């Protein structure tokens, strides 16, 4: 009997670039602020991106500049709960369809708030590929808690397990201990959380590193 293959994916900066979610949220926020300020939403959006690039408090800066009636809490809620305009790139679609054609068991493991992550999952239409989805807020613990990973072993049973992710500080240490095959997607320069392999011990690093998502198919050959 052929051993089953279970491929578990991270979400942010793995299946899509998290900066795209940020930009989507900024566009919605800038449109709301533009309604009460005599300035175009494009101007406000570009200013928000500039504040972000300078690592400044974006919401505080934009509220003060336009004397906005919005509070930081309200803008944060808009950021977290908006319906994001994000999509899968062609290479991601191709790989996911390839894995599905192989009858692999595909699953998703992500940290974050339920509404925010569910909105991303819906926007990316991920449920057509992933039969099991674990979100930290719903599950009750975050990576690298080993229980977040063992959930999939309890669900799918014995098999060859893979975890595909990007964050070397929390993603790989637990699946490494569980003897999963771990794959790190190298930062393409757009990641929110930068990768500095020299800053962590070897147990935190993935067993494989790929430069582009399309290289993932080679891992299973």
């Amino acid at each position: 009997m052929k051993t089953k293959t279970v491929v578990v994916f991270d979400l942010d900066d793995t299946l899509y670039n998290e900066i795209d979610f940020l930009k989507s949220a900024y566009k919605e926020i800038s449109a709301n602020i533009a309604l009460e300020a005599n300035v175009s939403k494009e101007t406000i959006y570009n200013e928000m991106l500039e504040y972000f690039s300078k690592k400044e408090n974006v919401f505080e800066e934009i509220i003060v500049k336009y004397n906005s009636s919005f509070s930081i809490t309200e803008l944060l809620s808009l950021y977290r709960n908006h319906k994001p305009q994000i999509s899968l790139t062609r290479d991601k679609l191709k790989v996911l369809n390839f894995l599905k054609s192989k009858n692999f068991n595909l699953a998703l493991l992500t940290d974050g708030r339920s509404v925010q992550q569910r909105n991303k999952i819906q926007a990316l239409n991920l449920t057509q590929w992933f039969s099991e989805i674990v979100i930290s807020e719903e599950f009750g613990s975050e990576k690298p808690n080993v229980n977040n990973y063992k959930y999939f072993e309890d669900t799918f049973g014995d098999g060859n397990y893979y975890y595909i992710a990007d964050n070397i500080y929390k993603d790989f240490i637990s699946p490494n201990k569980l003897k999963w095959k771990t794959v790190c997607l190298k930062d393409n320069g757009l990641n929110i959380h930068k990768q500095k392999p020299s800053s962590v011990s070897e147990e935190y690093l993935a067993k494989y590193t790929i430069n582009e998502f399309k290289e993932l198919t080679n891992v299973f050959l």
Side-chain angles (χ1 to χ4, degrees), residues 59 61 81 104 109 119 157 166 175 185:
F59 298 159
E61 294 289 343
N81 300 318
F104 291 167
L109 172 59
N119 283 342
D166 71 286
L185 177 62

Side-chain angles (χ1 to χ4, degrees), residues 95-104 106 127-129:
V95 170
L96 290 176
N97 286 330
F98 167 80
L99 298 179
K100 188 176 182 179
S101 73
K102 294 291 185 181
N103 293 315
F104 291 167
L106 304 183
T127 54
Q128 65 178 298
W129 294 286

